[in-house]
Amino acid sequence: MRPTLLIAATAALALLAGCAGKAEPEYAPRELTSLDASTELETLWRERVGKGLGEAGYPVAPAQDGDTLFAADGRGLVEALDADSGETRWEVELDTPVSSGLTAVAGSLFLATRNGEVLSLDQADGEIQWRARVTSEVLAAPQANQQLLVVQAVDGRVTALDRQSGDERWVYSGPRPSLTLRGTGTPTVIDPVTFAGFANGRLVTLDNRSGQPLWERRIAIPQGRSEIDRLVDLAGQPVLTQDGRLFVTSYNGRLAALDAPSGEVQWSRELSSYHTPILVGDFLFVIDEASHVIAVDAGSGNEIWRNEALEGRSLTAPAYATDHLVVGDVEGYLHLIDAREGEIVGRARVDGSGIGVRPLTDRRRIYALANDGTLEALELRP
């Protein structure tokens, strides 16, 4: 989602915690030019999920587990749909608005609400398995390992809940500057540790047995005269590789690669982004704050290509579908970009309300949720 600014003065936190204003766009949206598409997007089905994400644009991203899609609207409607046909398998109306992305794993569906609740639903029928309270509103999708569900709230606290019961296991209180992007980073959770980024530009590794920090590294340093210039939020999710590398973005800061066990920085480059990058082979793909699409060498950080044709179009974080990057934009278009060359090779419009959450992909299949609740399944056709 496009970031907004959340101003919270310590003396009036309770009054100001819900007040957010949109940041003025620094980059004017570029007009789309005609495209000689080499890849077509065929619509397989199209459904409507409730009333959409709402005027506040809550990042209620859908999730997939096997042949089932799960989606929700900002008011609390949650649906399970057949991924092949779009047929609704079940739907439930929660008694509180949904604020976070969804996470589907091992028969459960996890989500969070505007009043600081975390819910576990049964994937089979939507029945609530448990609900738990955390310290404040949650915008980041809850993240699970085999035992825990880890939730990062907008007040900077990270809470680990028992995945089966919802019982609290530990809480880590991260720092919270007076001015931040609305939202938080999304933690990356494996069995032994949690990697969490914070609004002060620091990345922390937490021991999942206790919530105690094992190491902490500064990714971005506040600079500039204004408070907005000095924002350094780690608003994306750290990307962890099987060989123990971490890739982290920061707003007004750096793109960095770190050694996960030690936190030592392997390389970094100046790049401002509030999105989660994506790693495919040796290519690391990043959307910067100007909506430039950038490919860098994952081993060195050297730039391979850059596409500026979509500047200012408030792109989503990138997804990957069979040799293509997939991004949504503020006018509701999906763009296909050749992952090797960086050229736009396909385009389709889902809905004029815009696409604010990252598309889901499953090989050649793409699922895109528009801001008004339109959920469309498309397939790549060469």
Side-chain angles (χ1 to χ4, degrees), residues 37-375:
S38 59
T39 305
E40 299 293 333
L41 282 167
E42 177 186 351
T43 297
L44 302 177
W45 54 261
R46 185 182 179 94
E47 297 292 338
R48 185 69 176 266
V49 180
K51 301 296 184 180
L53 306 185
E55 292 184 3
Y58 282 89
V60 188
Q64 182 178 6
D65 194 5
D67 63 357
T68 307
L69 285 178
F70 302 94
D73 72 359
R75 297 187 178 186
L77 174 72
V78 184
E79 292 189 17
L81 304 98
D82 184 284
D84 290 326
S85 67
E87 179 182 352
T88 299
R89 292 179 171 173
W90 55 256
E91 63 179 40
V92 296
E93 285 274 6
L94 302 178
D95 56 5
T96 182
V98 178
S99 58
S100 80
L102 311 183
T103 297
V105 60
S108 294
L109 178 68
F110 303 106
L111 54 86
T113 71
R114 298 183 203 175
N115 65 358
E117 275 195 309
V118 181
L119 279 71
S120 173
L121 277 62
D122 191 321
Q123 286 191 18
D125 55 14
E127 181 179 351
I128 296 175
Q129 297 171 319
W130 55 257
R131 56 202 310 165
R133 180 78 63 176
V134 294
T135 53
S136 68
E137 181 183 48
V138 178
L139 301 179
Q143 300 296 305
N145 65 13
Q146 294 188 67
Q147 292 84 31
L148 301 177
L149 187 73
V150 180
V151 181
Q152 189 161 354
V154 298
D155 64 0
R157 291 182 174 90
V158 179
T159 302
L161 306 171
D162 184 282
R163 205 180 83 180
Q164 299 301 319
S165 66
D167 294 339
E168 183 181 297
R169 295 304 182 206
W170 50 259
V171 178
Y172 173 80
S173 296
R176 180 176 174 79
S178 59
L179 184 69
T180 73
L181 298 180
R182 178 168 172 77
T184 64
T186 300
T188 293
V189 183
I190 57 177
D191 283 344
V193 297
T194 290
F195 303 98
F198 294 94
N200 67 344
R202 290 186 175 273
L203 180 72
V204 178
T205 296
L206 304 173
D207 187 329
N208 280 340
R209 296 170 297 183
S210 63
Q212 293 300 307
L214 299 176
W215 58 255
E216 180 178 333
R217 292 290 180 274
R218 179 174 289 281
I219 305 300
I221 300 173
Q223 300 182 56
R225 294 185 176 182
S226 74
E227 286 296 318
I228 293 177
D229 288 338
R230 295 174 63 81
L231 289 171
V232 290
D233 297 55
L234 272 59
Q237 182 176 27
V239 173
L240 178 66
T241 68
Q242 291 185 344
D243 62 359
R245 290 176 294 166
L246 278 174
F247 298 101
V248 185
T249 58
S250 57
Y251 190 70
N252 286 336
R254 299 185 295 168
L255 168 67
L258 299 88
D259 176 70
S262 67
E264 293 302 316
V265 176
Q266 298 176 337
W267 58 258
S268 67
R269 57 178 296 137
E270 295 298 314
L271 192 151
S272 176
S273 175
Y274 50 84
H275 283 310
T276 301
I278 186 171
L279 180 69
V280 182
D282 295 327
F283 283 56
L284 184 69
F285 300 102
V286 188
I287 310 296
D288 74 6
E289 65 167 323
S291 286
H292 298 162
V293 186
I294 305 163
V296 302
D297 184 288
S300 65
N302 294 329
E303 185 172 311
I304 299 171
W305 56 255
R306 176 185 294 250
N307 188 313
E308 299 182 358
L310 303 174
E311 181 177 286
R313 297 189 65 84
S314 299
L315 298 184
T316 65
Y320 183 79
T322 314
D323 301 325
H324 297 80
L325 295 182
V326 185
V327 293
D329 77 9
V330 69
E331 293 183 339
Y333 288 95
L334 279 179
H335 304 275
L336 300 180
I337 301 172
D338 184 283
R340 287 273 172 197
E341 305 298 328
E343 299 298 322
I344 300 175
V345 296
R347 179 184 299 146
R349 196 173 200 183
V350 175
D351 184 83
S353 62
I355 300 173
V357 294
R358 180 183 194 163
L360 276 175
T361 57
D362 184 6
R363 295 181 293 277
R364 304 188 67 85
R365 188 81 56 87
I366 300 167
Y367 303 100
L369 178 67
N371 295 338
D372 74 338
T374 299
L375 178 61

